[in-house]
């Protein structure tokens, strides 16, 4: 069976906040969901992001900090649930 992908949502925000919201989406049951997050902080090191929502347990796959003083970061998270909400 071939692997297929579908973009569920996307967003961006240039304001430095501690919490961000995306558009609402409901993942399919028992389907892998992968999220890539880019974040930066102009003063300190970029924190490692976490995700919550949709009844999914989100797990960090990898995170990489770069630029001087690790001010930018890319993190990949994955999640799956039998009963998304």
């Amino acid at each position: 069976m071939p692997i297929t992908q579908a973009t569920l949502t996307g967003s961006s925000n240039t304001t430095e906040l501690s919490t961000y919201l995306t558009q609402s989406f409901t993942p399919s049951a028992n389907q892998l969901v992968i999220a890539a997050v880019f974040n930066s902080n102009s003063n300190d090191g970029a924190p490692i992001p976490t995700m919550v929502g949709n009844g999914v347990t989100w797990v960090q796959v990898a995170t990489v900090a770069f630029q001087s003083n690790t001010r930018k970061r890319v993190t990949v998270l994955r999640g799956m649930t039998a009963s998304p909400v």
Side-chain angles (χ1 to χ4, degrees):
M1 176 184 343
I3 296 173
T4 60
Q5 65 85 31
T7 301
L8 299 176
T9 188
S11 64
S12 65
N13 190 322
T14 58
T15 304
E16 290 185 10
L17 303 170
S18 60
T19 302
Y20 297 89
L21 300 175
T22 65
Q23 296 174 349
S24 178
F25 70 92
T26 302
S28 299
N30 300 312
Q31 295 292 311
L32 178 65
V33 180
I34 298 174
V37 179
F38 169 83
N39 61 317
S40 64
N41 187 314
S42 60
N43 298 317
D44 299 315
I48 297 173
T50 58
M51 292 182 69
V52 296
N54 293 95
V56 175
T57 299
W58 294 95
V59 178
Q60 178 184 305
V61 175
T63 188
V64 177
F66 57 97
Q67 202 177 44
S68 62
N69 298 323
T70 64
R71 291 187 177 162
K72 297 184 180 190
R73 177 179 299 278
V74 174
T75 304
V76 176
L77 301 110
R78 65 170 169 80
M80 186 183 305
T81 184
S83 302
V85 292

